[in-house]
Amino acid sequence: MTRIVVLIVVALLGLGAVALVAGVSTSPVSLPRLRRFAARQQLLVTEANGPLVVLALAVTRRWRALGLSTGVLLGLLWALRDARLTLNFTAAFLGWFVGAVVAEWRLAGLQVDPGRRTASLSRRTVTAYLRRDAVVLLAAACLALVVLYVAVVVRAGNGQPGLRGEATLWLGAAAAGLAAVTATLRRVASRPQPAVDGDLLAADDALRARSANVLAGSAIVAAGYPAASLLGLLGTTSDTAGDGWAAASLAALALTVVVGWLVAVRPSPARRTAPAEPARATAAP
């Protein structure tokens, strides 16, 4: 009887999530959200570039919402295996992260202004859109994972092959996620640009810079999960109390969440364009 009730609750939650995603996918981008984006990216939104910005914001919101809801549902279904009804924040974040990556690949195929996409003579690189602090923090997160992995392997030695194998799996998962982020960042930097028009180019660069830094921040958060797991494995090789290692794992996860969130939400104007006029947003047609 309890399992039936749980299934009914999950079904209702699933229907609610589907309705939420459908509403988010079809609702127009609000003017306050457009203004926040313009202020954060130091972008002047005009009638010329407004449609591009609105369409890109709608696509990213749609896929991120879809990924988040899918992750939540999968987490609930996984919890049902143990007859529990819990919210899995890891599954929710990973779903959102996958949705964000898919959104950037979808943006590469947008036809905002047919016939006016051109190749630029200036070389576009990922570093032109990523803030320097984002690059440094992401590199530090990757280095920390490697250091933790080496520490686990050294401490485990030859007597605990299972522990070494688990650590390798976590490092492999982190490497796969980093490869996906790297490929997406390159796609963000290299996708076709609109024709040479000041407003359109400024908006296009602002969208790329925003996407690149959100992806970098998300990757830092994602690195916290294998880092926390590696710290837990390292604790099993130590003679000290396990509570201290558990607290260290939780602290590492919390730190990456805070740092990744700050990287994602900070203003990130593209460096390859001239500074824009003070932010001003107009209603999208």
Side-chain angles (χ1 to χ4, degrees):
M1 185 66 180
T2 302
R3 186 175 292 273
I4 294 177
V5 172
V6 171
L7 288 174
I8 292 175
V9 171
V10 171
L12 292 175
L13 289 174
L15 291 174
V18 170
L20 176 63
V21 172
V24 169
S25 301
T26 56
S27 62
V29 175
S30 65
L31 186 57
R33 185 171 183 230
L34 184 62
R35 284 174 173 160
R36 285 195 300 270
F37 174 83
R40 184 182 291 120
Q41 299 307 117
Q42 301 176 17
L43 173 70
L44 178 66
V45 180
T46 65
E47 292 184 0
N49 61 23
L52 172 63
V53 175
V54 169
L55 183 56
L57 291 178
V59 169
T60 55
R61 181 182 59 179
R62 181 184 309 127
W63 283 98
R64 290 173 186 176
L66 179 60
L68 176 63
S69 60
T70 301
V72 170
L73 287 176
L74 290 177
L76 289 174
L77 292 175
W78 184 263
L80 283 179
R81 296 169 64 251
D82 301 323
R84 295 181 294 107
L85 186 62
T86 57
L87 181 61
N88 191 319
F89 290 99
T90 301
F93 169 75
L94 291 178
W96 181 92
F97 180 71
V98 171
V101 170
V102 172
E104 297 308 322
W105 286 88
R106 293 289 296 174
L107 285 176
L110 284 182
Q111 294 295 327
V112 180
D113 196 3
R116 299 189 65 195
R117 310 288 281 191
T118 64
S120 173
L121 295 178
S122 60
R123 186 171 175 232
R124 298 190 301 270
T125 62
V126 173
T127 54
Y129 299 108
L130 272 177
R131 294 192 316 272
R132 291 183 178 87
D133 65 310
V135 176
V136 171
L137 290 171
L138 182 56
C142 295
L143 179 61
L145 285 175
V146 173
V147 170
L148 286 173
Y149 171 75
V150 172
V152 172
V153 170
V154 171
R155 292 294 297 271
N158 296 324
Q160 296 176 290
L163 202 63
R164 296 173 64 183
E166 188 175 350
T168 301
L169 286 176
W170 278 113
L171 186 65
L178 180 62
V181 170
T182 301
T184 306
L185 286 173
R186 289 177 177 173
R187 184 62 172 169
V188 167
S190 64
R191 68 189 183 218
Q193 276 196 313
V196 181
D197 179 289
D199 289 343
L200 280 176
L201 283 178
D204 185 72
D205 278 337
L207 289 166
R208 292 171 195 255
R210 181 71 188 136
S211 296
N213 287 278
V214 168
L215 286 171
S218 301
I220 293 173
V221 176
Y225 292 95
S229 299
L230 289 172
L231 276 170
L233 293 177
L234 191 59
T236 62
T237 66
S238 174
D239 296 330
T240 57
D243 292 343
W245 288 102
S249 298
L250 184 60
L253 183 58
L255 178 63
T256 56
V257 169
V258 172
V259 172
W261 180 78
L262 291 174
V263 168
V265 301
R266 285 189 58 197
S268 50
R271 293 197 300 271
R272 61 186 298 270
T273 55
E277 299 177 32
R280 174 173 60 84
T282 61

